[in-house]
Amino acid sequence: MEKSVVQVEVKNVLATSAGSAVFLGNADKVFVIYVDHSVGSAINMFLHGTPKPRPQTHDLFADVLTSLGAHVERVVINDFTDTVFFARLIIVAENELEERKIIEIDARPSDSIALAVQAHAPIYVASHVWEAVEDMSIVLKKMQDAGGEQGESFPGL
């Protein structure tokens, strides 16, 4: 039986001249999604548990979910066209009667990744997307070997 999704994790987030490069992958492959700097910073802060003086947008969304008895269950990066990725945010809500509702929302991959990292929820990639993306494992390794820790800037990327 062929798996329809592949589980990935955030391997690194590096600042670029145009925003941030989010490296996602597993032991087999790593690929990049480029996001705006503010979301890249949010992902980095969630990865490192960096305290913030005031709640940011992703914090607000998570707080609203929590107050409604809901949480991010998982994220699926489900499509890829040219250089644009698409994602679905899967939210599970339970009410006081323990009735469970699953909600699937179309969302930017960048926001979905930030919310998944914040909630410690798994990130998946649809198999057809996984097969189509270029493996950037070597690029990531070279950057890390050159001292590219999370949050470091790489203008040429």
Side-chain angles (χ1 to χ4, degrees):
M1 182 173 155
E2 183 183 329
K3 290 175 67 172
S4 60
V5 294
V6 175
Q7 187 167 359
V8 297
E9 62 184 29
V10 177
K11 296 290 191 178
N12 209 335
V13 179
L14 301 171
T16 71
S17 57
S20 295
V22 178
F23 289 82
L24 297 163
N26 57 28
D28 299 326
K29 186 179 194 177
V30 173
F31 70 102
V32 176
I33 293 179
Y34 294 97
V35 304
D36 64 60
H37 180 70
S38 63
V39 180
S41 292
I43 294 168
N44 250 334
M45 291 182 356
F46 293 136
L47 283 171
H48 294 100
T50 306
K52 297 170 280 295
R54 299 194 61 198
Q56 303 296 309
T57 305
H58 296 97
D59 300 311
L60 172 64
F61 188 77
D63 289 346
V64 169
L65 287 178
T66 300
S67 69
L68 295 172
H71 67 277
V72 175
E73 176 80 10
R74 67 187 176 278
V75 165
V76 180
I77 299 169
N78 64 333
D79 211 354
F80 172 72
T81 306
D82 297 321
T83 59
V84 179
F85 288 88
F86 299 87
R88 304 294 285 177
L89 184 62
I90 314 304
I91 296 169
V92 173
E94 283 190 46
N95 65 19
E96 56 278 351
L97 301 175
E98 296 186 20
E99 292 176 335
R100 184 176 158 110
K101 182 175 186 177
I102 298 172
I103 305 154
E104 190 171 325
I105 301 171
D106 182 31
R108 295 187 318 173
S110 56
D111 292 326
S112 299
I113 292 165
L115 290 166
V117 171
Q118 179 187 39
H120 305 286
I123 302 169
Y124 298 97
V125 178
S127 293
H128 71 278
V129 173
W130 182 250
E131 311 235 335
V133 294
E134 181 181 354
D135 186 3
M136 301 291 282
S137 300
I138 293 170
V139 172
L140 177 59
K141 182 169 180 4
K142 284 181 181 176
M143 294 168 90
Q144 288 173 327
D145 289 349
E149 294 302 314
Q150 290 183 336
E152 180 128 352
S153 179
F154 284 86
L157 189 62

